[in-house]
Structures are given as structure tokens and as C-alpha cells.
């Protein structure tokens, strides 16, 4: 079974990051019963805890990575995220 590892990069107190977290959770929950969906893991990383992430993404948070590659900045589109997850092989 394919695996999609989602990484949400943000920081505490960021309302866009909170919105992104909720949206990702909703999309993942809706895919839970879809047999064509990959196994999905999720982690959050803060730019305040990692100097490299801070340097890379300070002006772009939240950033969502799928398997280490940037999927989206700022606002996450649920339709686009669902499609991207279903394309993971």
C-alpha cells in the first residue's frame, strides 16, 4: 500500500496554520474509508524550533509537504489536497 507522509510547517499562534491543520485533518478523515487512498501519516513542524525551516519558510507559512515535496503555501485547497493524496503511488 502506498504511503503519503504529510508535514505541516507553521508556528504557534498562526491562524492560517490552525486553519490548515483543521483542513488537512478533515481531508484525511474523509479518505479513511477510501480503499484507493494511501496510508497517511501526519506531523507538524514549527519554524521556531528549526533554523533551517525558519530560513526557508518564514514568509510562506503554513506550508504543506507531501512526502517531502511542497504541495501548498498559505491556504490549502481541500479538493486539490484530496486529488494529490489519491495520486500517491
Amino acid at each position: 500500500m502506498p504511503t503519503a507522509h504529510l508535514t505541516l510547517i507553521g508556528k504557534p499562534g498562526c491562524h492560517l496554520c490552525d486553519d490548515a491543520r483543521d483542513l488537512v485533518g478533515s481531508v484525511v478523515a474523509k479518505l479513511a474509508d477510501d480503499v484507493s487512498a494511501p496510508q497517511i501519516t501526519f506531523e507538524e513542524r514549527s519554524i521556531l524550533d528549526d533554523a533551517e525551516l525558519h530560513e526557508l519558510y518564514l514568509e510562506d507559512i503554513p506550508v504543506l509537504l507531501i512526502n517531502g515535496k511542497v504541495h501548498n503555501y498559505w491556504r490549502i485547497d481541500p479538493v486539490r489536497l484530496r486529488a494529490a493524496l489519491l495520486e500517491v503511488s
Side-chain angles (χ1 to χ4, degrees):
M1 170 180 276
T3 300
H5 182 72
L6 303 177
T7 305
L8 181 63
I9 301 170
K11 69 177 183 177
C14 166
H15 74 280
L16 290 177
C17 301
D18 294 339
D19 292 347
R21 179 185 316 104
D22 293 344
L23 187 138
V24 169
S26 176
V27 170
V28 169
K30 288 177 183 174
L31 286 174
D33 295 328
D34 189 327
V35 295
S36 63
Q39 180 178 350
I40 301 170
T41 60
F42 177 76
E43 75 170 320
E44 285 190 68
R45 307 271 312 269
S46 172
I47 63 169
L48 302 180
D49 298 332
D50 185 314
E52 184 178 351
L53 291 178
H54 188 272
E55 178 77 20
L56 286 171
Y57 300 119
L58 175 63
E59 299 295 324
D60 298 321
I61 60 170
V63 178
L64 182 64
L65 309 177
I66 299 177
N67 292 336
K69 295 181 182 173
V70 173
H71 169 72
N72 226 118
Y73 296 96
W74 303 306
R75 296 202 184 270
I76 310 302
D77 179 317
V79 173
R80 185 170 173 258
L81 175 58
R82 182 182 190 283
L85 290 171
L86 291 174
E87 290 177 5
V88 170
S89 56

